[in-house]
Amino acid sequence: MDWRHAANAALLHLDLVGFKAVNDGFSHLAGDALLSGFYLNELLLRFCPREDAHESLFRHYMATLTRLAHGEPAALVLRSFERVLLQETGFAVAFDRCTSTGEPVQPGLDYVYQPERGVRRAHASDPSSWPVVSGQTLLDMSRDDYSRAQTAQQSRALMRFLLHYYLQGAPLKTRQILIDLQAL
């Protein structure tokens, strides 16, 4: 082996040693949390072009992994990450204002998230594939609060819809793995 290859091997070794120190500082993922971690990674690979730095998103990713490792409910933690992912990559706008009018979302009214446009009041003529969500759900999501049962359910439907839309219908492999595991 010539010197150039030896230097690369040493650099690789140093990188792995550095990674081990960082990795050992966190609790390790297992079970559902591990599958959730795979899901997060798949989302990042699909939404973030290679070499595209998203420092804020990466910080949120690290915080999400930590929350999962400490046993926080995966469904609530994942909704938070999905929201930040869509906002940081430019696919989603604020959830607390109607995009077309600029009016604040009202807790007692129903809304839809129109792809490519944003939040607006729901209409009877909206496509049935668009999930209708309460204003309270949108306000909770903007505050990163998924503790209400209705917010947890509606935010899941909304995030699935938006992810499916922006992935142009391409299925997520980790979602299929979860479905397969549940069938066992």
Side-chain angles (χ1 to χ4, degrees), residues 52-154:
D52 203 5
H54 286 278
E55 292 178 29
S56 178
L57 180 57
F58 182 72
R59 280 192 301 277
H60 195 77
Y61 168 74
M62 295 300 291
T64 300
L65 291 177
T66 301
R67 291 174 66 191
L68 289 168
H70 287 97
E72 290 189 40
L76 307 183
V77 174
L78 294 176
R79 294 305 83 76
S80 175
F81 181 80
E82 292 162 347
R83 179 188 56 81
V84 170
L85 171 74
L86 290 174
Q87 289 177 327
E88 289 291 324
T89 55
F91 289 103
V93 293
F95 290 94
D96 61 349
R97 294 202 164 278
C98 288
T99 308
S100 59
T101 65
E103 294 174 2
V105 166
Q106 300 299 312
L109 299 177
D110 288 334
Y111 296 85
V112 293
Y113 194 101
Q114 185 174 353
E116 310 295 339
R117 297 230 171 116
V119 172
R120 69 166 174 76
R121 291 279 310 276
H123 303 292
S125 61
D126 289 334
S128 62
S129 61
W130 291 4
V132 175
V133 296
S134 73
Q136 185 62 58
T137 292
L138 293 170
L139 294 171
D140 288 347
M141 289 176 69
S142 68
R143 288 190 301 272
D144 206 26
D145 178 5
Y146 302 88
S147 59
R148 294 176 204 259
Q150 181 182 28
T151 298
Q153 183 270 327
Q154 289 182 348

Side-chain angles (χ1 to χ4, degrees), residues 34-46:
L34 180 61
L35 290 172
S36 296
F38 286 137
Y39 172 73
L40 297 175
N41 290 337
E42 185 175 10
L43 287 176
L44 287 172
L45 288 171
R46 298 277 190 99

